[in-house]
């Protein structure tokens, strides 16, 4: 018997976007990913763990009711004001959080 874990499809879309990975790129690893994204089928816990590892997302975040806001904790001077980036990458946030921990 396979136990499926209910996950909000919006969180799966958010994790893919946050990691900068397309659903097509993961279709070999997760053949039923499009069904998960459509809300037709829920992944198993092992599948969800593998998905969270590939997208570099903490598995606990995938159980939230809606995608979390991840504001940049420092001023963003990487671009000019009119060309701001819409969302910081997961790698950038991890690096900033690590530097803040070291500073503290």
């Amino acid at each position: 018997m396979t136990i499926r874990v209910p996950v909000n499809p919006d969180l799966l879309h958010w994790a893919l976007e946050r990691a900068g990975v397309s659903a097509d790129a993961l279709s070999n690893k997760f053949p039923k990913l499009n069904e998960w994204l459509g809300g037709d089928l829920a992944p198993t816990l092992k599948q969800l763990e593998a998905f969270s590892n590939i997208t570099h997302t903490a598995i606990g975040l995938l159980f939230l009711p809606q995608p979390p806001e991840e504001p940049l904790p420092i001023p963003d001077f990487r671009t000019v004001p009119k060309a701001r980036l819409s969302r910081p990458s997961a790698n950038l946030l991890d690096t900033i959080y690590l530097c803040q921990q070291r500073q503290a």
Side-chain angles (χ1 to χ4, degrees):
M1 182 168 117
T2 303
I3 299 175
R4 304 237 173 234
V5 181
V7 176
N8 183 351
D10 291 339
L11 287 164
L12 299 175
H13 285 286
W14 167 79
L16 287 172
E17 182 182 330
R18 181 177 179 265
V21 180
S22 69
D24 295 333
L26 295 180
S27 63
N28 290 339
K29 179 77 175 162
F30 305 106
K32 297 186 179 186
L33 181 59
N34 287 328
E35 293 178 39
W36 301 350
L37 295 172
D40 301 327
L41 182 69
T44 65
L45 184 57
K46 284 193 176 208
Q47 290 170 334
L48 195 60
E49 286 174 346
F51 179 82
S52 71
N53 285 334
I54 288 174
T55 59
H56 304 286
T57 306
I59 193 166
L61 293 176
L62 298 175
F63 293 107
L64 294 174
Q66 61 187 5
E69 291 293 323
E70 291 183 305
L72 196 59
I74 59 174
D76 187 1
F77 296 117
R78 296 175 295 156
T79 61
V80 294
K82 293 180 183 176
R84 292 250 179 234
L85 299 173
S86 62
R87 171 182 290 175
S89 69
N91 288 335
L92 175 63
L93 287 172
D94 288 344
T95 301
I96 291 171
Y97 295 148
L98 180 64
C99 290
Q100 286 180 332
Q101 286 176 345
R102 288 177 181 168
Q103 256 185 335

